[in-house]
Amino acid sequence: MATALFSAPTADRVRNGTAAALLRRPTFVVSVAVVVFWVVAAVGWRYFGLDPFADTGERLAAPSAGHPFGTDRIGRDVFARVMAGAEPALQVGPAGTLLATVLGSVLGLVAGYFRGWTDTVLMRVFDVFLALPTLILLLVIVGAFGSSPAVLAFAVGLLFAPGIARIVRAGTLAEMGKQYVVSARLQRESHARIIFAELVPNLLPLIVIQATLSLGSAIFISSSLSFLGLAAAPPSPDWGLAINENRSYLQGAWWTIVFPAFAIASLVIAVNLIADNLKEVFRR
């Protein structure tokens, strides 16, 4: 069997060292805490006694002790809606990113490993998708198949897979000339074994970084679709939809827009900071 990049004990030390290096970074720890907060909100808002659909009777009330984030134009509690809005935000983005990562990684590995006409054909297909305007592609998919979370996740996956595939392909080409791959091929190991047992473990840091970067963009895009009226529909507490519904009250009732916008920004920035920290630590 070909020699892996790290022996088992060495790999354990590398993983432990990577985890320790990440935990020493304040931006990484704070970003993870922000992401965990929103995940807990998405999963548990129903168990916290929050009702994002109830009419409190106070319309456009300013933030107060009873309503920390104020109320919207219908009288619904903005705090409850922001907490509940984490659920739709974290439905489409992560699912679409997972699909894009799996599809893009497999295609990138195949293109970089086999090269030749396989690489040429796949690269041309990727170029076509990358050349298409993002919004137009999303409009076509949503218009043809609807705006259910499954369709939106598929659209996001299709949108990000080519970019991930190109990065993974480049990483695969860089690995192909290394000794462990050459040894595996000389020992006539199967293509599947070389790709998934030899290449994937060594490309995993690269794949994780690209997946994390794509996740932040996917969350932002899903919120943008809701803002444009292409995804969530009233009375959903979706953050993008909340900004769209209350944009005319920006001057008189700023809290109806600022808090949902801050929620989107905090989650997207936190995910991107996690990706930046992973990139810096893995490159050491």
Side-chain angles (χ1 to χ4, degrees):
M1 188 174 88
T3 303
L5 183 60
F6 300 114
S7 63
T10 303
D12 289 339
R13 287 196 295 271
V14 169
R15 284 193 291 267
N16 293 336
T18 299
L22 288 170
L23 292 176
R24 287 195 296 267
R25 291 172 165 263
T27 54
F28 177 81
V29 175
V30 172
S31 297
V32 169
V34 171
V35 172
V36 170
F37 172 82
W38 288 120
V39 170
V40 171
V43 174
W45 64 268
R46 293 179 179 85
Y47 306 103
F48 300 149
L50 300 175
D51 188 351
F53 308 107
D55 184 351
T56 65
E58 301 178 66
R59 299 185 179 182
L60 298 177
S64 62
H67 304 290
F69 291 178
T71 62
D72 64 8
R73 73 190 198 288
I74 301 178
R76 298 170 298 192
D77 185 75
V78 175
F79 176 79
R81 292 185 66 76
V82 169
M83 294 297 105
E87 182 178 357
L90 290 172
Q91 281 181 336
V92 174
T97 301
L98 178 61
L99 175 62
T101 301
V102 173
L103 181 61
S105 297
V106 171
L107 293 177
L109 282 162
V110 169
Y113 180 83
F114 290 104
R115 289 176 282 191
W117 67 267
T118 303
D119 184 23
T120 301
V121 170
L122 288 175
M123 285 302 102
R124 297 298 76 80
V125 173
F126 298 156
D127 290 341
V128 170
F129 276 95
L130 291 171
L132 292 173
T134 301
L135 185 57
I136 293 178
L137 178 60
L138 291 171
L139 284 170
V140 170
I141 295 175
V142 171
F145 302 102
S147 58
S148 67
V151 170
L152 293 175
F154 171 79
V156 170
L158 195 64
L159 180 67
F160 286 105
I164 294 176
R166 292 185 71 90
I167 298 296
V168 173
R169 169 187 174 269
T172 303
L173 291 174
E175 294 291 320
M176 288 299 293
K178 294 186 177 179
Q179 186 61 43
Y180 74 95
V181 177
V182 175
S183 298
R185 302 186 78 172
L186 288 174
Q187 295 179 44
R188 296 188 177 182
E189 293 186 9
S190 66
H191 296 314
R193 180 172 180 79
I194 295 174
I195 291 174
F196 294 105
E198 306 289 351
L199 287 171
V200 169
N202 289 278
L203 291 172
L204 192 57
L206 176 66
I207 294 172
V208 170
I209 291 170
Q210 293 306 311
T212 310
L213 287 170
S214 298
L215 176 59
S217 299
I219 292 171
F220 184 78
I221 284 178
S222 65
S223 296
S224 299
L225 288 174
S226 296
F227 176 81
L228 295 172
L230 300 175
S236 170
D238 186 277
W239 295 332
L241 181 63
I243 296 173
N244 182 32
E245 289 180 330
N246 296 286
R247 67 185 187 276
S248 60
Y249 301 102
L250 178 60
Q251 293 184 342
W254 55 266
W255 53 88
T256 59
I257 296 179
V258 169
F259 289 118
F262 177 78
I264 297 173
S266 65
L267 182 55
V268 172
I269 291 173
V271 171
N272 287 335
L273 286 175
I274 290 173
D276 289 342
N277 279 279
L278 289 172
K279 187 186 303 182
E280 292 177 9
V281 169
F282 282 143
R283 284 181 176 176
R284 288 186 174 182

